[in-house]
Amino acid sequence: MAEIPGLESQRRQVEGDEGEEGRQRRLLAGESWYLLDYRWYQQWKTYVDSGDQNSSFFPGRINNAELFEDLESYRLKDRLVEDEDYILVPSKVWNQLVSWYGMEPEQPPLERKVVDLPSTQKVEVYPVELYLCQHSDMDNLLTAQFSRTDIIDTVLKEARRLFEVPPEEEMRLWVKNSDGSCERLRNVHMTVLDSCLSTGQTVIMESRNKDGTWPSAQPHAMRNSLDEDDTYRGQPGICGLTNLGNTCFMNSALQCLSNVPPLTEYFLNNRYLKELNFSNPLGMKGEIAEAYADIIKQMWSGHHYSVVPRMFKTKVGHFASQFLGYQQHDSQELLSFLLDGLHEDLNRVKKKEYIEQRDAEGRPDEEVAEEAWRNHKRRNDSIIVDIFHGLFKSTLVCPRCRKVSVTFDPFCYLSVPLPDSNKRAMEIFFVSMDPRMKPEQHRLIVPKEGKVLDLCIALSKHTGISPEHMMVADVFSHRFYKIYQMEESLSCILDRDDIFIYEISVGALEDEDGGGSEDIVLPIYLRERTQSRDYSDSYYGVTLFGHPLLVSVPREKISWDSLYQMLLHRLSRYVSQPDSDEEEESEDDDLSDKRTNGFSEGEEDESSHRAKSTCQDQEAGSEVEDNQSEESEHEVMSEPSNGEGVGETKIASCSGASACQQRTDGGSQRSNPPSPTIDSQPKRKCRVRRQRRKPLFTLQTVNSNGTSDRSAYQDDGNSVTFNSQPYIALDWDPEMKKLYYDDMEAERYVRNDSMSYMLKKNPVKLEKCIDLFTTVETLEEENPWYCPTCKKHQRATKKLDLWSLPEVLIIHLKRFSYTKFSREKLDTLVEFPIRDLDFSKYIIKPRTETDPTQYKYDLIAVSNHYGGLRDGHYTTFARNKDTGQWCYFDDSSVSAVSERQIESKAAYVLFYQRQDKICQPMQPPPQPCCHSTVTSADQDTDDVTSCSSISDDMTSCNSHDCKINTCQSSESMDVD
């Protein structure tokens, strides 16, 4: 016991007189105060006030026995009142009193913390008393007390101590609510007060299973494949990911990151637990990092054939709505989101400061680069920055004032362009004026930045028809979606558009208003009248069908009967004419009074003129019929005897050729058919009694959609003059269409030999793509640069250079090209090295003698994309960090592959690791490290081909084309 000072000195130190703070001092949040029995304190105070150190009022040892319920548990009594049962003293006063008077043995000091409440600070006399248990034995409850200022990590450590859990086991805590539900105590750095824990609640401690799962996980997560054996032991990391429905893009990105050694070691060694950032407003409350850690621990446990990433998918969709649902997405976009999310969830910077970026302004590059990287690290410091971030040098030059702006910017991956061909292959259908000729499908090679005229010129070389006598149209849903002008850009035509090129007699290059031309081009639609719902003889609508036509007719003074005969002639290949008397109707009047073409009659006082015209039309019509008979006979003689035609093909749907069911076709001979004679007979008046054939269809002018009737002509008796270019509809009665319109023949077409042509694309080296990335380019008009000298936005020139590279370099090959009018995927073969990718010639940072070793990289993973723009499938090649074995990951299937199989046209995202950071792999284990499994859970939308073909059996292949593409061609991968 220390020497006891004088009684007056004791009083000053305890009560706080004459500059001593004593027990009256101000409370400070987080500091310790102690409970002191009020009766002992009053005894001490009487002793001090007596002024006699030998007084009988000497208090003796500090004794708090009256404050406890019992002297075994030393649990504090309930409802103790300050200044009646106890007083509070700061730790300095408590320590002084204990040193002067001592304390009853075995009694614990009643230390309490000062908590910072919303409106005040207060000593928490009664701490939070929690019940602790383990998830595996929730009936065994132990009681522990915690201050409201204690962090959750303190609770976890106390639970570990009480249940004797080894420190290497990974644990997490749950709190059980009053309604029986459980909630994760995710942030171990949060206080008990902020976590809203209260006395009487139960906290459950959960240990991670050896297979990487948590016991509290759902059953589907605990057993990751239906045929999985609890005793399975495989090579860690050789584990598939189940396809949940178009999630191959996510699986591919996860497999690539899983095989980045430093990142996987970071999670497997639980270093992420201390760096989870729950307060970052740009992060995701640590949930993405934890969900990713769960996936990695399961994949690298060696206990699973495949893992079901359902919880990870849910978390991604929660924080990035674009990935909600089960649509196909881009693996590189998911990878970008995941790297950014992991970075923010693991950012060691808890409070980001504002830093203004400075221009170089003539300073040395080394100084500017060092400043830029230092500023970047002041706001962004995580394992992702350590592994994946490098530094660009960006140089902008104003085209007007020549102002040069130099900045250094961090990057996480390189998106490099692919050399693009200046040619484009386009598929079209050519429709001849000869009605006997079936439409021909051609593949034309045209300039990518060309005009519609270039498309016609290319077709002219195949057909011999002058481009001046062609018109180009986009056909969609049985109508003309658009009719193109010759000077329009080909970029506005998409590959999926159904383009028809029609032969016409009118010069297409003449004035748009048709000046100087005696003919006009009429767009022709086919419509079928739809019967009313009561199935009476009345009609209430029309429905478009078949393929529309573009037909040249005289601009002035054409009769409706002549137009009918001309159109009948154009349709003669698949429209037959009545040859039975049943299809005739009697006429015993002026022929002009019995109109059969569906148009309105002229005035009654013009009957004489109509009669003359009708007589003329009858004779002209007879001549047309004779010609058609001759043509029909000629066609029958020239067709093969089987009635189908040699190699004929059908256009299966008027909505476009993309839906066609194609057959091989040998082609057909062209001939120039005789045209119907129009207004060629002398006019004469006649009044006869004769049999007249019933028309197959009626004519009606309509709008461009073919849905509503309109008038765009001047009716002069039995002739018509068009004021503008109208659209004409051929309205068919259902019975007439059924009898005389051959749907099968109408859909047939011929595949030209050019359809076998392929636009050859030569392989390019990865170095060429990097060269293009560092080439000077001019900024787009939509994304100009604000010049501080000119005080306006300018289309400056921009050049990117590599200043420093990260340990793991991600290279994104920009295979997908998107413009205002077009989208395409480049399937160019990019030749990339497996080892010794040397970046020394691209790094512009001044070097030392030891630097060259830091610029060589080896490949560790590849994300592949098979298929086209609107569908496709993602897979992964990756090198196991422990064995060095390359494997092919196709969702839940995994197969061993050789290095020669890795390079293919499907390569999309490449992962390279710097050579000086690569650890030599250990020898592979004796058990097989790869497998190929497809369970019922794996039979999802983009799991349609077996990966068994990606095996060592393919090592005999020598050409690029026989690599991975041999079992999964891009044309057949319409899977996602």
Side-chain angles (χ1 to χ4, degrees), residues 138-171:
M138 287 191 279
D139 294 331
N140 181 24
L141 299 176
L142 299 180
T143 304
Q145 292 182 340
F146 302 94
S147 167
R148 289 170 177 80
T149 60
D150 287 338
I151 61 175
I152 300 301
D153 191 52
T154 303
V155 180
L156 179 60
K157 289 178 179 177
E158 180 65 11
R160 282 180 178 272
R161 185 188 69 80
L162 292 174
F163 294 106
E164 300 179 348
V165 177
E168 64 271 11
E169 285 195 31
E170 187 179 352
M171 319 293 294

mmCIF file of all heavy atoms in Angstrom, residues 138-171:
data_model
loop_
_atom_site.group_PDB
_atom_site.id
_atom_site.type_symbol
_atom_site.label_atom_id
_atom_site.label_comp_id
_atom_site.label_asym_id
_atom_site.label_seq_id
_atom_site.Cartn_x
_atom_site.Cartn_y
_atom_site.Cartn_z
ATOM 1 N N MET A 138 -26.741 -24.323 -30.211
ATOM 2 C CA MET A 138 -27.374 -23.091 -29.767
ATOM 3 C C MET A 138 -28.087 -23.234 -28.422
ATOM 4 O O MET A 138 -28.641 -22.264 -27.910
ATOM 5 C CB MET A 138 -28.346 -22.595 -30.844
ATOM 6 C CG MET A 138 -27.634 -22.017 -32.055
ATOM 7 S SD MET A 138 -28.714 -21.151 -33.214
ATOM 8 C CE MET A 138 -29.387 -22.514 -34.121
ATOM 9 N N ASP A 139 -28.070 -24.418 -27.841
ATOM 10 C CA ASP A 139 -28.663 -24.594 -26.514
ATOM 11 C C ASP A 139 -27.682 -24.246 -25.404
ATOM 12 O O ASP A 139 -28.084 -23.996 -24.257
ATOM 13 C CB ASP A 139 -29.137 -26.038 -26.333
ATOM 14 C CG ASP A 139 -30.287 -26.383 -27.259
ATOM 15 O OD1 ASP A 139 -31.061 -25.455 -27.602
ATOM 16 O OD2 ASP A 139 -30.404 -27.552 -27.664
ATOM 17 N N ASN A 140 -26.405 -24.245 -25.714
ATOM 18 C CA ASN A 140 -25.375 -23.936 -24.720
ATOM 19 C C ASN A 140 -25.108 -22.436 -24.719
ATOM 20 O O ASN A 140 -24.349 -21.925 -25.532
ATOM 21 C CB ASN A 140 -24.099 -24.721 -25.038
ATOM 22 C CG ASN A 140 -22.998 -24.458 -24.034
ATOM 23 O OD1 ASN A 140 -23.259 -24.061 -22.886
ATOM 24 N ND2 ASN A 140 -21.754 -24.673 -24.444
ATOM 25 N N LEU A 141 -25.768 -21.703 -23.832
ATOM 26 C CA LEU A 141 -25.673 -20.251 -23.768
ATOM 27 C C LEU A 141 -24.739 -19.831 -22.636
ATOM 28 O O LEU A 141 -24.851 -20.329 -21.509
ATOM 29 C CB LEU A 141 -27.052 -19.627 -23.549
ATOM 30 C CG LEU A 141 -28.107 -19.879 -24.622
ATOM 31 C CD1 LEU A 141 -29.441 -19.275 -24.212
ATOM 32 C CD2 LEU A 141 -27.667 -19.292 -25.958
ATOM 33 N N LEU A 142 -23.831 -18.906 -22.962
ATOM 34 C CA LEU A 142 -22.947 -18.322 -21.955
ATOM 35 C C LEU A 142 -23.205 -16.821 -21.906
ATOM 36 O O LEU A 142 -23.453 -16.185 -22.939
ATOM 37 C CB LEU A 142 -21.484 -18.601 -22.287
ATOM 38 C CG LEU A 142 -21.066 -20.075 -22.349
ATOM 39 C CD1 LEU A 142 -19.584 -20.199 -22.680
ATOM 40 C CD2 LEU A 142 -21.379 -20.797 -21.036
ATOM 41 N N THR A 143 -23.113 -16.241 -20.701
ATOM 42 C CA THR A 143 -23.410 -14.832 -20.516
ATOM 43 C C THR A 143 -22.115 -14.027 -20.490
ATOM 44 O O THR A 143 -21.119 -14.441 -19.881
ATOM 45 C CB THR A 143 -24.177 -14.602 -19.200
ATOM 46 O OG1 THR A 143 -25.352 -15.407 -19.206
ATOM 47 C CG2 THR A 143 -24.567 -13.146 -19.056
ATOM 48 N N ALA A 144 -22.145 -12.875 -21.167
ATOM 49 C CA ALA A 144 -20.990 -11.964 -21.165
ATOM 50 C C ALA A 144 -21.501 -10.537 -21.211
ATOM 51 O O ALA A 144 -22.555 -10.265 -21.802
ATOM 52 C CB ALA A 144 -20.073 -12.248 -22.345
ATOM 53 N N GLN A 145 -20.756 -9.635 -20.550
ATOM 54 C CA GLN A 145 -21.137 -8.231 -20.508
ATOM 55 C C GLN A 145 -20.175 -7.408 -21.354
ATOM 56 O O GLN A 145 -18.962 -7.648 -21.353
ATOM 57 C CB GLN A 145 -21.129 -7.720 -19.065
ATOM 58 C CG GLN A 145 -22.224 -8.325 -18.205
ATOM 59 C CD GLN A 145 -22.226 -7.755 -16.794
ATOM 60 O OE1 GLN A 145 -21.227 -7.197 -16.332
ATOM 61 N NE2 GLN A 145 -23.352 -7.902 -16.094
ATOM 62 N N PHE A 146 -20.747 -6.416 -22.052
ATOM 63 C CA PHE A 146 -19.946 -5.564 -22.929
ATOM 64 C C PHE A 146 -20.399 -4.122 -22.790
ATOM 65 O O PHE A 146 -21.596 -3.838 -22.621
ATOM 66 C CB PHE A 146 -20.097 -6.015 -24.389
ATOM 67 C CG PHE A 146 -19.698 -7.440 -24.628
ATOM 68 C CD1 PHE A 146 -20.641 -8.459 -24.597
ATOM 69 C CD2 PHE A 146 -18.375 -7.767 -24.839
ATOM 70 C CE1 PHE A 146 -20.286 -9.767 -24.799
ATOM 71 C CE2 PHE A 146 -18.001 -9.088 -25.054
ATOM 72 C CZ PHE A 146 -18.956 -10.102 -25.029
ATOM 73 N N SER A 147 -19.432 -3.259 -22.875
ATOM 74 C CA SER A 147 -19.765 -1.834 -22.901
ATOM 75 C C SER A 147 -20.368 -1.483 -24.244
ATOM 76 O O SER A 147 -20.064 -2.118 -25.269
ATOM 77 C CB SER A 147 -18.501 -1.004 -22.668
ATOM 78 O OG SER A 147 -18.736 0.355 -22.971
ATOM 79 N N ARG A 148 -21.212 -0.473 -24.209
ATOM 80 C CA ARG A 148 -21.796 -0.012 -25.462
ATOM 81 C C ARG A 148 -20.748 0.593 -26.383
ATOM 82 O O ARG A 148 -21.000 0.760 -27.578
ATOM 83 C CB ARG A 148 -22.916 0.989 -25.181
ATOM 84 C CG ARG A 148 -24.159 0.342 -24.573
ATOM 85 C CD ARG A 148 -25.158 1.369 -24.091
ATOM 86 N NE ARG A 148 -26.380 0.736 -23.571
ATOM 87 C CZ ARG A 148 -26.482 0.203 -22.361
ATOM 88 N NH1 ARG A 148 -25.427 0.236 -21.527
ATOM 89 N NH2 ARG A 148 -27.612 -0.348 -21.962
ATOM 90 N N THR A 149 -19.608 0.916 -25.868
ATOM 91 C CA THR A 149 -18.520 1.452 -26.695
ATOM 92 C C THR A 149 -17.609 0.352 -27.226
ATOM 93 O O THR A 149 -16.730 0.616 -28.045
ATOM 94 C CB THR A 149 -17.679 2.457 -25.893
ATOM 95 O OG1 THR A 149 -17.115 1.803 -24.746
ATOM 96 C CG2 THR A 149 -18.523 3.633 -25.448
ATOM 97 N N ASP A 150 -17.782 -0.878 -26.747
ATOM 98 C CA ASP A 150 -16.996 -1.992 -27.287
ATOM 99 C C ASP A 150 -17.393 -2.228 -28.737
ATOM 100 O O ASP A 150 -18.557 -2.075 -29.119
ATOM 101 C CB ASP A 150 -17.251 -3.266 -26.487
ATOM 102 C CG ASP A 150 -16.589 -3.230 -25.117
ATOM 103 O OD1 ASP A 150 -15.627 -2.452 -24.956
ATOM 104 O OD2 ASP A 150 -17.053 -3.954 -24.220
ATOM 105 N N ILE A 151 -16.428 -2.619 -29.540
ATOM 106 C CA ILE A 151 -16.732 -2.937 -30.936
ATOM 107 C C ILE A 151 -17.117 -4.413 -31.056
ATOM 108 O O ILE A 151 -16.846 -5.219 -30.144
ATOM 109 C CB ILE A 151 -15.542 -2.613 -31.860
ATOM 110 C CG1 ILE A 151 -14.311 -3.427 -31.472
ATOM 111 C CG2 ILE A 151 -15.251 -1.115 -31.857
ATOM 112 C CD1 ILE A 151 -13.134 -3.238 -32.417
ATOM 113 N N ILE A 152 -17.747 -4.749 -32.157
ATOM 114 C CA ILE A 152 -18.216 -6.121 -32.356
ATOM 115 C C ILE A 152 -17.051 -7.101 -32.366
ATOM 116 O O ILE A 152 -17.198 -8.261 -31.952
ATOM 117 C CB ILE A 152 -19.027 -6.228 -33.668
ATOM 118 C CG1 ILE A 152 -20.246 -5.294 -33.619
ATOM 119 C CG2 ILE A 152 -19.477 -7.649 -33.933
ATOM 120 C CD1 ILE A 152 -21.201 -5.578 -32.477
ATOM 121 N N ASP A 153 -15.899 -6.647 -32.801
ATOM 122 C CA ASP A 153 -14.738 -7.521 -32.786
ATOM 123 C C ASP A 153 -14.400 -7.965 -31.363
ATOM 124 O O ASP A 153 -13.918 -9.080 -31.148
ATOM 125 C CB ASP A 153 -13.544 -6.804 -33.418
ATOM 126 C CG ASP A 153 -12.382 -7.753 -33.667
ATOM 127 O OD1 ASP A 153 -12.612 -8.806 -34.290
ATOM 128 O OD2 ASP A 153 -11.254 -7.444 -33.225
ATOM 129 N N THR A 154 -14.670 -7.095 -30.362
ATOM 130 C CA THR A 154 -14.468 -7.479 -28.965
ATOM 131 C C THR A 154 -15.420 -8.603 -28.573
ATOM 132 O O THR A 154 -15.041 -9.540 -27.861
ATOM 133 C CB THR A 154 -14.682 -6.261 -28.053
ATOM 134 O OG1 THR A 154 -13.804 -5.201 -28.451
ATOM 135 C CG2 THR A 154 -14.441 -6.607 -26.599
ATOM 136 N N VAL A 155 -16.660 -8.518 -29.049
ATOM 137 C CA VAL A 155 -17.626 -9.585 -28.787
ATOM 138 C C VAL A 155 -17.144 -10.885 -29.422
ATOM 139 O O VAL A 155 -17.231 -11.974 -28.816
ATOM 140 C CB VAL A 155 -19.008 -9.194 -29.322
ATOM 141 C CG1 VAL A 155 -20.034 -10.297 -29.047
ATOM 142 C CG2 VAL A 155 -19.482 -7.882 -28.717
ATOM 143 N N LEU A 156 -16.630 -10.804 -30.651
ATOM 144 C CA LEU A 156 -16.150 -12.001 -31.345
ATOM 145 C C LEU A 156 -14.973 -12.626 -30.602
ATOM 146 O O LEU A 156 -14.908 -13.853 -30.435
ATOM 147 C CB LEU A 156 -15.750 -11.634 -32.780
ATOM 148 C CG LEU A 156 -15.203 -12.762 -33.655
ATOM 149 C CD1 LEU A 156 -16.230 -13.870 -33.804
ATOM 150 C CD2 LEU A 156 -14.813 -12.232 -35.033
ATOM 151 N N LYS A 157 -14.051 -11.806 -30.146
ATOM 152 C CA LYS A 157 -12.892 -12.331 -29.425
ATOM 153 C C LYS A 157 -13.305 -12.982 -28.115
ATOM 154 O O LYS A 157 -12.763 -14.029 -27.717
ATOM 155 C CB LYS A 157 -11.891 -11.209 -29.170
ATOM 156 C CG LYS A 157 -11.183 -10.732 -30.423
ATOM 157 C CD LYS A 157 -10.237 -9.575 -30.120
ATOM 158 C CE LYS A 157 -9.521 -9.118 -31.385
ATOM 159 N NZ LYS A 157 -8.641 -7.949 -31.122
ATOM 160 N N GLU A 158 -14.282 -12.370 -27.419
ATOM 161 C CA GLU A 158 -14.763 -12.964 -26.180
ATOM 162 C C GLU A 158 -15.455 -14.295 -26.460
ATOM 163 O O GLU A 158 -15.292 -15.265 -25.687
ATOM 164 C CB GLU A 158 -15.710 -11.995 -25.485
ATOM 165 C CG GLU A 158 -16.292 -12.492 -24.186
ATOM 166 C CD GLU A 158 -15.263 -12.699 -23.085
ATOM 167 O OE1 GLU A 158 -14.094 -12.259 -23.260
ATOM 168 O OE2 GLU A 158 -15.604 -13.317 -22.057
ATOM 169 N N ALA A 159 -16.209 -14.374 -27.549
ATOM 170 C CA ALA A 159 -16.864 -15.640 -27.898
ATOM 171 C C ALA A 159 -15.827 -16.703 -28.240
ATOM 172 O O ALA A 159 -15.969 -17.876 -27.855
ATOM 173 C CB ALA A 159 -17.813 -15.420 -29.073
ATOM 174 N N ARG A 160 -14.794 -16.318 -28.985
ATOM 175 C CA ARG A 160 -13.706 -17.267 -29.273
ATOM 176 C C ARG A 160 -13.088 -17.791 -27.975
ATOM 177 O O ARG A 160 -12.789 -18.984 -27.842
ATOM 178 C CB ARG A 160 -12.633 -16.590 -30.122
ATOM 179 C CG ARG A 160 -12.961 -16.448 -31.603
ATOM 180 C CD ARG A 160 -11.790 -15.752 -32.309
ATOM 181 N NE ARG A 160 -11.990 -15.619 -33.726
ATOM 182 C CZ ARG A 160 -11.654 -16.545 -34.620
ATOM 183 N NH1 ARG A 160 -11.113 -17.688 -34.214
ATOM 184 N NH2 ARG A 160 -11.855 -16.346 -35.909
ATOM 185 N N ARG A 161 -12.877 -16.892 -27.023
ATOM 186 C CA ARG A 161 -12.238 -17.279 -25.757
ATOM 187 C C ARG A 161 -13.129 -18.225 -24.961
ATOM 188 O O ARG A 161 -12.670 -19.258 -24.457
ATOM 189 C CB ARG A 161 -11.914 -16.030 -24.941
ATOM 190 C CG ARG A 161 -11.145 -16.312 -23.653
ATOM 191 C CD ARG A 161 -11.026 -15.072 -22.802
ATOM 192 N NE ARG A 161 -12.315 -14.678 -22.252
ATOM 193 C CZ ARG A 161 -12.881 -15.242 -21.176
ATOM 194 N NH1 ARG A 161 -12.273 -16.242 -20.541
ATOM 195 N NH2 ARG A 161 -14.059 -14.830 -20.741
ATOM 196 N N LEU A 162 -14.424 -17.874 -24.881
ATOM 197 C CA LEU A 162 -15.319 -18.685 -24.078
ATOM 198 C C LEU A 162 -15.508 -20.081 -24.653
ATOM 199 O O LEU A 162 -15.615 -21.066 -23.901
ATOM 200 C CB LEU A 162 -16.678 -17.988 -23.938
ATOM 201 C CG LEU A 162 -16.701 -16.706 -23.101
ATOM 202 C CD1 LEU A 162 -18.066 -16.046 -23.175
ATOM 203 C CD2 LEU A 162 -16.334 -17.003 -21.644
ATOM 204 N N PHE A 163 -15.534 -20.185 -26.001
ATOM 205 C CA PHE A 163 -15.783 -21.483 -26.641
ATOM 206 C C PHE A 163 -14.500 -22.132 -27.157
ATOM 207 O O PHE A 163 -14.553 -23.165 -27.835
ATOM 208 C CB PHE A 163 -16.782 -21.317 -27.787
ATOM 209 C CG PHE A 163 -18.160 -20.924 -27.338
ATOM 210 C CD1 PHE A 163 -18.625 -19.642 -27.529
ATOM 211 C CD2 PHE A 163 -18.971 -21.843 -26.693
ATOM 212 C CE1 PHE A 163 -19.888 -19.269 -27.107
ATOM 213 C CE2 PHE A 163 -20.246 -21.479 -26.268
ATOM 214 C CZ PHE A 163 -20.710 -20.188 -26.469
ATOM 215 N N GLU A 164 -13.360 -21.533 -26.810
ATOM 216 C CA GLU A 164 -12.039 -22.098 -27.127
ATOM 217 C C GLU A 164 -11.898 -22.436 -28.611
ATOM 218 O O GLU A 164 -11.536 -23.545 -28.990
ATOM 219 C CB GLU A 164 -11.787 -23.347 -26.266
ATOM 220 C CG GLU A 164 -11.816 -23.070 -24.766
ATOM 221 C CD GLU A 164 -11.597 -24.323 -23.933
ATOM 222 O OE1 GLU A 164 -11.650 -25.435 -24.530
ATOM 223 O OE2 GLU A 164 -11.381 -24.206 -22.724
ATOM 224 N N VAL A 165 -12.206 -21.454 -29.456
ATOM 225 C CA VAL A 165 -12.086 -21.630 -30.909
ATOM 226 C C VAL A 165 -10.684 -21.210 -31.336
ATOM 227 O O VAL A 165 -10.221 -20.116 -30.981
ATOM 228 C CB VAL A 165 -13.144 -20.782 -31.645
ATOM 229 C CG1 VAL A 165 -12.970 -20.901 -33.148
ATOM 230 C CG2 VAL A 165 -14.544 -21.222 -31.236
ATOM 231 N N PRO A 166 -9.968 -22.033 -32.107
ATOM 232 C CA PRO A 166 -8.619 -21.667 -32.552
ATOM 233 C C PRO A 166 -8.639 -20.402 -33.425
ATOM 234 O O PRO A 166 -9.605 -20.175 -34.169
ATOM 235 C CB PRO A 166 -8.144 -22.879 -33.355
ATOM 236 C CG PRO A 166 -9.236 -23.856 -33.348
ATOM 237 C CD PRO A 166 -10.383 -23.341 -32.566
ATOM 238 N N PRO A 167 -7.605 -19.608 -33.378
ATOM 239 C CA PRO A 167 -7.587 -18.324 -34.105
ATOM 240 C C PRO A 167 -7.610 -18.472 -35.616
ATOM 241 O O PRO A 167 -8.011 -17.550 -36.325
ATOM 242 C CB PRO A 167 -6.286 -17.665 -33.618
ATOM 243 C CG PRO A 167 -5.442 -18.790 -33.120
ATOM 244 C CD PRO A 167 -6.378 -19.814 -32.596
ATOM 245 N N GLU A 168 -7.176 -19.627 -36.150
ATOM 246 C CA GLU A 168 -7.132 -19.776 -37.614
ATOM 247 C C GLU A 168 -8.511 -20.024 -38.224
ATOM 248 O O GLU A 168 -8.692 -19.882 -39.431
ATOM 249 C CB GLU A 168 -6.183 -20.904 -38.007
ATOM 250 C CG GLU A 168 -6.590 -22.295 -37.531
ATOM 251 C CD GLU A 168 -6.035 -22.616 -36.147
ATOM 252 O OE1 GLU A 168 -5.523 -21.684 -35.491
ATOM 253 O OE2 GLU A 168 -6.101 -23.790 -35.752
ATOM 254 N N GLU A 169 -9.488 -20.420 -37.410
ATOM 255 C CA GLU A 169 -10.823 -20.652 -37.944
ATOM 256 C C GLU A 169 -11.529 -19.323 -38.202
ATOM 257 O O GLU A 169 -11.482 -18.417 -37.381
ATOM 258 C CB GLU A 169 -11.654 -21.495 -36.965
ATOM 259 C CG GLU A 169 -11.289 -22.955 -36.949
ATOM 260 C CD GLU A 169 -12.354 -23.793 -36.250
ATOM 261 O OE1 GLU A 169 -13.547 -23.412 -36.315
ATOM 262 O OE2 GLU A 169 -11.990 -24.817 -35.651
ATOM 263 N N GLU A 170 -12.187 -19.246 -39.376
ATOM 264 C CA GLU A 170 -12.904 -18.023 -39.725
ATOM 265 C C GLU A 170 -14.299 -18.053 -39.117
ATOM 266 O O GLU A 170 -15.037 -19.028 -39.269
ATOM 267 C CB GLU A 170 -13.004 -17.865 -41.245
ATOM 268 C CG GLU A 170 -13.598 -16.532 -41.666
ATOM 269 C CD GLU A 170 -13.670 -16.355 -43.162
ATOM 270 O OE1 GLU A 170 -13.116 -17.222 -43.884
ATOM 271 O OE2 GLU A 170 -14.278 -15.369 -43.615
ATOM 272 N N MET A 171 -14.649 -16.974 -38.408
ATOM 273 C CA MET A 171 -15.924 -16.898 -37.699
ATOM 274 C C MET A 171 -16.692 -15.660 -38.155
ATOM 275 O O MET A 171 -16.129 -14.694 -38.661
ATOM 276 C CB MET A 171 -15.709 -16.812 -36.173
ATOM 277 C CG MET A 171 -14.622 -17.709 -35.622
ATOM 278 S SD MET A 171 -15.016 -19.449 -35.758
ATOM 279 C CE MET A 171 -16.395 -19.574 -34.641
#
